[in-house]
Amino acid sequence: MLDHIILTVSDFKRSVDFYTKALEPLGITMEMDYKGPENHPNLKGFGDGNTIFFWMKEGKANANGTHIGFVAKDHAQVDAFHKAAVAAGAQVLESPRVFLEYYPGYYATWVLDPDGYEIELVHKS
């Protein structure tokens, strides 16, 4: 189980706008604007109202090798995320579908965010 993820993004405003729109169908919202003291970076925190688990810091983005998979509650949520992410400017890697190569019931979509990070939303049934 993961506690949190921090992505380094090249533009706070652009990334906050993207993730605010793309994650809205999942009930994930921007909840904290953390002003870092001294050598600690400023952070933007997204969560579900109970905990903040997805953070961004501004800097030099490097998407190589980064893949983040969010959990969907059903296929409709995968479809809603895909639609919202594309509307927010995501590049589509895989449209929503069942990926039998993983196993039956693996319904997912993959997009690239504004910095090129690979974001997946999956419902496993």
Side-chain angles (χ1 to χ4, degrees):
M1 174 183 278
L2 296 174
D3 179 69
H4 65 276
I5 296 167
I6 299 176
L7 285 184
T8 301
V9 299
S10 61
D11 183 325
F12 260 162
K13 180 177 177 353
R14 179 183 71 179
S15 292
V16 168
D17 288 347
F18 173 81
Y19 281 104
T20 296
K21 293 172 185 170
L23 298 177
E24 187 272 331
L26 309 180
I28 299 172
T29 58
M30 207 288 276
E31 297 187 7
M32 182 179 271
D33 190 5
Y34 178 80
K35 300 295 183 195
E38 298 179 27
N39 294 326
H40 194 289
N42 294 337
L43 301 170
K44 302 286 186 182
F46 284 73
D48 61 5
N50 295 315
T51 186
I52 298 172
F53 49 82
F54 181 58
W55 295 89
M56 284 179 259
K57 66 179 179 178
E58 195 165 27
K60 183 177 165 107
N62 181 354
N64 289 342
T66 300
H67 174 106
I68 299 168
F70 289 99
V71 176
K73 65 181 178 184
D74 56 28
H75 290 197
Q77 200 173 45
V78 172
D79 295 340
F81 165 81
H82 178 81
K83 183 178 178 181
V86 169
Q91 178 184 341
V92 177
L93 292 178
E94 292 286 350
S95 293
R97 69 176 176 89
V98 174
F99 289 83
L100 294 174
E101 58 270 32
Y102 298 135
Y103 63 83
Y106 195 103
Y107 188 78
T109 185
W110 281 266
V111 300
L112 294 179
D113 84 347
D115 283 302
Y117 290 111
E118 188 176 309
I119 309 300
E120 175 185 2
L121 186 68
V122 61
H123 176 248
K124 298 175 181 177
S125 60

